[in-house]
Amino acid sequence: MATEGAVHVIDVTVNGEAHRTPVPARRLLVHFLRETLGLRGTHIGCDTGNCGACSVICDGQLIKSCMMLAVQADGREIETIESLGEGPDGLDPIQEAFREHHGVQCGYCTPGVVLAAKTLLAENPQPSEAEIRRALKGNICRCTGYMNIIRSIEAAAAAPGGITR
Amino acid sequence: MIVSGSRTVAAPRDALWAVLSDPARLAETLPGVGDVSIEDEHRFSAVAHPVTALGATRVAMDFEIVEQRPSEHVRISGLGSAGENQLQLTVALDLAADGEGTAVSWSADVQLRGVWRSLLQRGLGSLFNEQVDAVLAAGALLSGASNER
Amino acid sequence: MLLAATEYVRPDSVEDALAALGGTAGSRVLAGGQTLINVLKHRAASVELLVDVSRLEELRFIDVSADGSVTIGAATTYRELERSAELRAAQPIIGEVAAGTVDRQVRARGTIGGNACFADPASNYPPLLVALGASLQIAGPAGVRSVPAEDFFVGLFRTAVGPGELLRSISLPPLDGAGVGYRSLQIAADSWALARAVAWVGAGEPIGAARVVLGCVAGTPVRAVATEARLIGGPRSTEAAVAAAALAGDGLEPPADVHASSAYRREMAAVMAKHALFDALGLQDDR
Amino acid sequence: MSTPRSETTFYPAIEQSERLGNWSGKNVPRKEDKRLLKGQGAFVDDLWMHRQGHVHFVRSPYAHARITAIDVARCEAVPGVYATLTGEEVGELQQPYFQMAPEPAGAMKDYCMAVGKARYMGEPVAAVLAESAELARDAAELIEVSYEPLPVVVDGIATIEPDAPVLHEEIGSNVGWHGTYDYGDIDWAIENADHVVRIDRLHFHRFSSTPLETSGALVNWDPGTGVVEFRTNNQMPMFAAMFIGPAIGLGIDHMQFSSQDIGGGFGIKITSYTYLTALALLSRKAGRPVKWSESRWEHLAASAHGNERTFLDIEVPVMNDGTILGFKVRAFDDAGAYLRYEPLGAVIWAQVVPGNYRFKHVRVDYTESLTNKCPVGPNRGYSRLQHLWMIERLVDIVANELGFDRVALRKLNYVQPEEFPYETPNGCIYDSGDYPAMLDRALELIDYEGALARQRASARSGRRIGIGIGSTLDSGTNNFGQSRIINSALPFSGNGEAAIVRLDLYGEVTVTIGTSPQGQGHETTAAQVTADILGMSPDQVHVAAGYNKAANTYVGFSGTYASQFAVTGLGAVMGAAEKLRGEIIKVGACMLGSEESDIELADGFVRLAANPEAAIPFIGIAATVFANVAELPGELADSVTLNCRYVYRPPFEVPDHETKTGKLTLTYASQVHAAVVEVDDETGQVTILDYAAVDECGRKVNPMIVEGQVHGATGHGVGAALYESFEYDADGQLLNSTFADYHAATSLDVPHIRTGDIECPSPFTPNGAKGMGEGGGAPLSTIASAIEDALPDGAHIVFDTHNNSERVFELLRSAAAAGPRGVEVISR
């Protein structure tokens, strides 16, 4: 009761930066990112792994950081929304598409959705609407009815030269 | 929810009833039991840890044997908590001799409260029956029988 | 939602994992964690020690033999199943089901072994493994034993994997021309299944072997024995399939929940069995 | 330049700005998006303060129970636990909240935590403050609460029966409000109609638009100043202050509220004031800032739900030509365990008494009841969507029962385009609209003829095709005077919003507003209208993000709710920008030595219209007024501040308590949706094949944002119609308190939405815009209509807003059963 349990030192690369940090075994990756590293762009929307607001990229694959312990990120490479776009103001082409096509309303699901879009387009540069919908299934948005998110991803895919950098 | 089931256990009826109607011995049949405290001849409390593939679930329960007819019937009520969730149950067990063993049928009113009510709604009936099954198996062992049928 | 305190270890081998599991009461295998971590968030179970097997290469493989039999390491993810061309050729249904499981994020981490060991009858794989005649290899201190899928699922959230053991792999016999149908009635486009049926029908006419397994209707996958008996020895016809499927719900008392009553689940089990049989027999739904 | 409008016989003539148009009306990308897309938003859970503690609430597992004891000793003994708070303490530290209900329900004693009794599952009974969120949750398990269970009532009608267990002894019954709304002469209409269609029962289910960000707050009761700072995602802070202040003895001068980014609200975040109160008390007790982030299960079980409403004994008088004369109905609205925005729901629906129709005779006997369920709050479309759904149901049912074409029947009974402004039987004024044209457009978007052909072709295939229509209203800009219809003693009327537009020291234009946006793009649209008025680009206008009571301006109605920003918020911004424009021109004319009428504003310069070379940048104006004021003539120096506040107030009067009539809202955006669905005969599963949403909301300031709101409202409606429903068991336990079982609609569930565009400017608003965003619940009506259309002859009517597979399966089965269908027709 009321003990933290064992603390493990992990080596994890987040947005290209290597961290060696002690973490208690029970700490979720999402809390590690938000509270330990101060990366507040990764959000929490539910407690059952349904909503995807906490989605990040782990070794190239989209995962939900509320269903992975921080200690499990040892030796992994994590990318969060903070890794996209140059500097404090630059937008990645995907982010530009979301801005142009109003794929954002309240912005709470947005970081997860943008990373979902990025990983989708990396694997399937020209997805159909049906493929986009399937790829977004793990990211709940309560504002947009998904329509403009889909439009944004379609636009990013159709951009000259695609979206891959 | 109302849950019912039946099972034949390889223990004589009188011996099994003696276990089920004695708080001290009944407590021992609970899965992963610990912290047993016998209040009187009808009431006891215990911490049970029913185990599933999910892990062990810690439930602190107060039990009371609310009704009994020697060798044939016992009704037990229980109220327990696990964090902010609560488990309330009343289970009536009816025993009938079945050859060397005992045919036990039970019916229970089980109520779960809190977020677990939502999370476990599909499984509560199955989980409860499995636990009763385990209690009866343990009861059979305690009553002196060497194995179950 | 915050977990209760727990310990964690990531062994380098199955042997070490077994040692860790055997050494601590209240230890649990952590594979993909896509269910277990949610259970821990809600503190519906407490675990003293999490033994993380998700990186054990010994548990991450897909072996397809020349005869078409398949063995899959327990820690193989849905994503890996979905993407294996060899598996698609030998046992297409495994990859198809993987591809439709929950969402991309879950597929990247969730494992087939974890799904089997969680033993939720509403999950995808338990009825499928029973229908395909799979066997599951359980590693323990005394070595590896193989358990038929039908005996593996003991109860709701309970399997044949005992304390100190872990699921090593899942083996599937060759299809040998058998047809497989897998049908689910789900909430919305793709959420909880309300009823699910898997049909496996051996090649040849009259039908010599058939397994029809229902999910979501009891604490474990349930074989629709009356349906199977009706099929065997009969023709591969629409009429036969319809008549057999109509028996699928007999005697079932499925659990009710907020999404569906017991009676509806029972009826829908039969409907899903019909469509699964149509698929397994290569019949058209002429509605 | 402004044009006075004289044809507005219902309101005093107003001036509509002619300066809008350069930027207003265009799809200007949002100013908010950069930070949100880069993960730089500041949501409440992103905030922290030095020495903060974390709060965990202990919640009642019982839906109704007396609390006999709470023992916090073991919890408080844990190192790292700062404080606890129990209901018993709350009973001493807090006055019961102000109640809007008249007696007897006005006697309700409502506190921020359960005092003496818990009345719904999940109600907070104690709280723990600890050094970490983990520890707070761990230690909360050590608080021992003893309960004595009480009988539970969850049915909104059974609860008013004499033998029902009473939730609030001080009220003496479970009636929260009761009254009869009687307009026209429904008895005459029923007596003289050719047909009367009687519908037994319709039920509007309980759900929530449940924002993705749950509620939360960081609250600090500063012991030095006595000021309590609430950094919170509450979406109507001045409403919250009205409850919190008197309850714990704080003046508005001692309460600071702020938020930057809010992760969705939809009304559900209006009633979080109870939690804010508890947090303030904990902060004072512990002498620390306190932080609370609600979990999803807490949010679903114990924040707020949308209103559940049951309609009984509906009678609809209809003439042979299809003219529907009106209806009468008994409505029971289930408010849950407490009245926390209620009983306003008992009148808000009256903004749309006849729906989109020319019904003249309406009687609604309305009861608001209390049950052992989560208290309700205003959820998107609040109180009106229940009523509008009932009306659309009855229109469909009348068509089906009497053999009218559903399209023709609607067109016949709709308020006609030439009838606007249209006065409803209860004195509300529909400002503008063209419902028949919207219906045509919606049908065109779903290829109505093609759908009819598919429907014929699919007959007997087992895959039934149904076509549905839903026409609804999104009434915006409340007259808070309508609260007096339910309680004549309430001191509210009218509405308003405040804004400040200022020219800052170095020539920057800054806008602050009293609103608390949750994704509606206020920074962008405020910049658009300001840019138009001040002759610059929206990029040059800085709009302060979020709500900040201390830094921004506000009035008593400030906040973001109830479809009104385009009117009240932008009305205030426009008024303030016009004032600033006047001041800039005054100073510029003086500096350029010209007449004010010779001046124009362009590209951030004040210049002579005739000689653009003669120009002064805004920084020059600002520098003169702020730092070189001795060069200004005295009368200018005295009158110009470049800091211009304006309060927009719609031209309302106080409604009449006795007749329950008046102008309850200013604008009426409208929706006509249409859908084609497939219903699987074997399973009852419904699949949406085509969906069209035609929305009209007057002149649009940013069409892209408007369309986004249409999509979002449609998504909520579709989700509620098919997937999302809060269900309680008889013990008062919520059966879907996580997203695992409360199925929030995913990208696979919300269909492709075709949107259509019709613009009928409002004559009553300064910019021709209408408030919008709530959407009227059109998908609920549309999908119910489509499912009913797909059912076989002889089936029971679609009687519920929520139609999951099993319910549709039962409806399909009902045709063969040949039992009661829930409807009967009496013809003369």
Side-chain angles (χ1 to χ4, degrees), chain D residues 70-142:
Chain D
I70 302 181
D71 185 350
V72 296
R74 285 174 67 213
C75 171
E76 287 193 333
V78 174
V81 169
Y82 299 141
T84 62
L85 185 71
T86 65
E88 202 178 339
E89 288 174 85
V90 164
E92 289 164 12
L93 297 171
Q94 186 201 323
Q95 292 298 314
Y97 291 117
F98 152 71
Q99 289 293 327
M100 286 186 279
E103 298 289 325
M108 176 185 292
K109 289 189 168 55
D110 184 16
Y111 295 90
C112 66
M113 295 206 290
V115 176
K117 221 167 96 159
R119 294 180 178 86
Y120 66 98
M121 169 215 171
E123 181 170 6
V125 297
V128 184
L129 182 72
E131 67 184 5
S132 72
E134 280 96 338
L135 182 64
R137 188 174 179 203
D138 294 345
E141 292 184 6
L142 299 177

Side-chain angles (χ1 to χ4, degrees), chain D residues 66 80 141 154 158 239 313 377 395 440 479 481 501 533 575 599 632 680 708-709 721 756 771 784:
Chain D
R66 206 169 300 290
E141 292 184 6
V154 294
F239 180 82
D313 308 328
V395 170
D440 285 338
N479 177 354
V501 180
I533 291 168
I599 298 283
L632 276 180
D680 185 338
Q709 292 292 320

Side-chain angles (χ1 to χ4, degrees), chain D residues 130-386:
Chain D
E131 67 184 5
S132 72
E134 280 96 338
L135 182 64
R137 188 174 179 203
D138 294 345
E141 292 184 6
L142 299 177
I143 293 183
E144 287 165 32
V145 187
S146 303
Y147 297 96
E148 184 186 302
L150 296 167
V152 170
V153 60
V154 294
D155 184 285
I157 298 175
T159 194
I160 63 165
E161 297 296 327
D163 58 344
V166 172
L167 273 74
H168 300 270
E169 286 76 7
E170 60 273 25
I171 301 177
S173 80
N174 294 326
V175 176
W177 190 85
H178 174 262
T180 302
Y181 295 80
D182 204 352
Y183 307 119
D185 187 347
I186 187 67
D187 294 327
W188 171 88
I190 287 171
E191 202 165 304
N192 290 282
D194 295 321
H195 314 274
V196 176
V197 176
R198 290 186 178 163
I199 303 164
D200 298 341
R201 175 179 178 270
L202 295 173
H203 176 249
F204 189 101
H205 78 292
R206 191 174 254 257
F207 63 91
S208 165
S209 292
T210 191
L212 194 58
E213 180 206 39
T214 56
S215 291
L218 178 55
V219 176
N220 185 34
W221 193 310
D222 187 304
T225 61
V227 171
V228 186
E229 184 181 7
F230 297 91
R231 300 169 81 179
T232 173
N233 55 13
N234 179 288
Q235 70 180 94
M236 198 172 171
M238 289 303 92
F239 180 82
M242 184 171 83
F243 285 84
I244 297 168
I248 56 175
L250 290 171
I252 192 74
D253 56 340
H254 280 71
M255 288 188 281
Q256 158 63 356
F257 287 84
S258 66
S259 61
Q260 182 179 303
D261 296 303
I262 298 181
F266 317 118
I268 294 297
K269 286 177 178 161
I270 288 177
T271 48
S272 65
Y273 60 82
T274 57
Y275 290 104
L276 299 179
T277 308
L279 297 173
L281 293 175
L282 255 179
S283 175
R284 183 171 61 179
K285 183 174 177 185
R288 286 176 180 275
V290 304
K291 178 164 176 171
W292 173 61
S293 297
E294 189 182 47
S295 72
R296 176 58 57 182
W297 99 259
E298 293 178 300
H299 181 81
L300 292 177
S303 60
H305 292 171
N307 294 52
E308 177 181 353
R309 197 174 295 172
T310 308
F311 302 94
L312 296 184
D313 308 328
I314 304 165
E315 293 189 43
V316 191
V318 189
M319 302 310 287
N320 279 331
D321 70 349
T323 300
I324 298 173
L325 301 176
F327 58 89
K328 75 178 214 187
V329 62
R330 293 196 295 144
F332 295 83
D333 196 272
D334 176 351
Y338 297 95
L339 302 173
R340 289 186 174 164
Y341 196 89
E342 299 304 316
L344 290 182
V347 68
I348 299 270
W349 64 271
Q351 298 166 7
V352 294
V353 165
N356 303 55
Y357 301 96
R358 291 187 287 186
F359 303 160
K360 300 283 187 228
H361 311 285
V362 175
R363 182 187 299 149
V364 178
D365 183 74
Y366 194 102
T367 304
E368 179 130 346
S369 62
L370 296 157
T371 59
N372 293 116
K373 296 192 281 195
C374 179
V376 300
N379 190 62
R380 194 174 207 167
Y382 175 48
S383 190
R384 293 147 294 163
L385 78 173
Q386 287 84 353

Side-chain angles (χ1 to χ4, degrees), chain D residues 20-28 527-529 531-532 535-538 701:
Chain D
L20 303 183
N22 200 14
W23 294 101
S24 302
K26 299 218 164 62
N27 289 334
V28 174
Q528 287 176 264
V529 298
D532 275 345
M536 54 204 306
S537 138
V701 178

